[in-house]
Amino acid sequence: MEESTFKKSPSSNMLLAVLTSLCCCMPLGIVAVIKASHVKLLYEKGEYDQAIKASAQARRYCYVGVFLSMICWMLSLTGIIWILVYGGGFTYLMTFAKCYFLADKLL
């Protein structure tokens, strides 16, 4: 009997890479899209181990992009909440409004 050497194609993670590029972190998403596109090419050339490595790299870039995006969102929300709670935003707005109305009266 002949032993079959057919190996299933590894996941390219293309959808995750595109979503990461569009919604989270574009630079890492673009790198992930490039790595994901290499998976199919490497598999078709018969370089199964390299295809698995490219798939893992694409997934890793996607996860890092999502993680960095989440950190940026959390820092942004923390900054907004900090400004609103401690009066930075409202105080600045009122100062601007007073200056505007005073300048209008002086002219």
Side-chain angles (χ1 to χ4, degrees):
M1 278 197 201
E2 231 179 83
E3 202 173 304
S4 176
T5 59
F6 176 74
K7 295 180 181 178
K8 184 179 174 190
S9 174
S11 173
S12 68
N13 301 306
M14 183 62 80
L15 179 63
L16 183 61
V18 170
L19 289 176
T20 301
S21 181
L22 293 176
C23 301
C24 297
C25 182
M26 187 173 279
L28 291 175
I30 291 172
V31 174
V33 167
I34 292 169
K35 290 291 183 184
S37 66
H38 286 157
V39 172
K40 186 177 179 185
L41 297 172
L42 291 168
Y43 177 74
E44 289 174 353
K45 286 178 17 180
E47 298 175 6
Y48 186 71
D49 294 333
Q50 294 296 325
I52 290 175
K53 283 184 183 179
S55 175
Q57 287 176 340
R59 188 178 332 109
R60 189 176 312 120
Y61 281 117
C62 291
Y63 289 160
V64 169
V66 169
F67 180 72
L68 289 177
S69 173
M70 289 173 61
I71 288 176
C72 288
W73 275 104
M74 286 190 293
L75 289 175
S76 297
L77 288 175
T78 303
I80 290 169
I81 291 170
W82 181 273
I83 288 171
L84 292 175
V85 168
Y86 291 106
F90 187 71
T91 304
Y92 175 75
L93 181 64
M94 292 309 293
T95 305
F96 177 75
K98 287 178 186 175
C99 290
Y100 178 75
F101 289 122
L102 287 175
D104 189 37
K105 289 180 182 178
L106 292 174
L107 296 175

